[in-house]
Amino acid sequence: MDKHDYMKLALAKAEEAFKSGEIPVGAVIVKDGEVISSSHNTNRLERNPLKHAEMTAIETASRHFMNERLDGCDLYVTKEPCAMCAGAIIHSRLRKVIIGAKDIKYGACGTVLSVLGNSRLNHVPEIEFGVMEDDASQILKMFFKDKRGRDPGHKNKSHENIPCDR
């Protein structure tokens, strides 16, 4: 398998997220040609802001190796990681991050913030942008177009009906 095959797996996970009403982001972690873990966003379903595709894939891979360090592993992700996920990528010591689409609002791999690739940090993974970028961008565009079409007043209203446990 090559990088496009692994990104296709991540896109399939993004499609699962799309079908369940989540922002369609998928992630796959690979080591030595073997898929170790894969995930998609579940933060809305689980009402947990930590349940990004990257975070869950890292957690699963860490359990697989029984180690928080994922040396030699590569992450394929359909959308550029946010600052939270970028921090987890650094702490888990992923070797390389292969990204489909840039995130012009929250991207922390150089698009908005430079968390990944920051030479002042103790670990700097290799970053590759643009693998199957059109496919990764398209599923995000379809999701938000559909969401906005169903709820014209969508802005700042996505959490109105979610009870708060205070």
Side-chain angles (χ1 to χ4, degrees), residues 109-163:
C109 303
T111 301
V112 177
L113 301 170
S114 293
V115 178
L116 289 191
N118 186 331
S119 62
R120 292 180 289 184
L121 299 175
N122 66 333
H123 177 71
V124 182
E126 185 180 339
I127 303 168
E128 181 178 352
F129 275 99
V131 175
M132 300 189 71
E133 182 175 11
D134 291 340
D135 295 298
S137 295
Q138 187 61 34
I139 193 169
L140 288 162
K141 288 175 186 173
M142 287 174 22
F143 176 82
F144 287 110
K145 181 179 179 186
D146 181 58
K147 183 165 184 57
R148 289 177 183 124
R150 285 185 282 119
D151 181 8
H154 72 282
K155 202 167 195 138
N156 297 324
K157 292 186 177 183
S158 63
H159 305 301
E160 282 183 358
N161 297 322
I162 297 175

Side-chain angles (χ1 to χ4, degrees), residues 7 77-81 99-103 129-133 136-137 140:
M7 188 60 75
V77 61
T78 59
K79 184 177 70 64
E80 182 178 2
I99 302 165
K102 290 183 177 182
D103 184 340
F129 275 99
V131 175
M132 300 189 71
E133 182 175 11
S137 295
L140 288 162

Side-chain angles (χ1 to χ4, degrees), residues 28-41:
V28 173
I29 294 180
V30 176
K31 183 170 186 175
D32 299 328
E34 178 187 352
V35 174
I36 304 302
S37 67
S38 62
S39 186
H40 61 78
N41 279 6

Side-chain angles (χ1 to χ4, degrees), residues 7-22:
M7 188 60 75
K8 285 177 188 174
L9 294 175
L11 285 164
K13 297 306 285 186
E15 182 68 30
E16 288 180 37
F18 182 94
K19 289 177 180 175
S20 66
E22 296 281 351

Side-chain angles (χ1 to χ4, degrees), residues 41-61:
N41 279 6
T42 59
N43 49 302
R44 291 184 173 168
L45 176 68
E46 296 190 41
R47 297 180 180 167
N48 183 340
L50 304 177
K51 294 298 184 174
H52 287 196
E54 303 94 309
M55 299 291 284
T56 305
I58 289 169
E59 183 178 9
T60 302

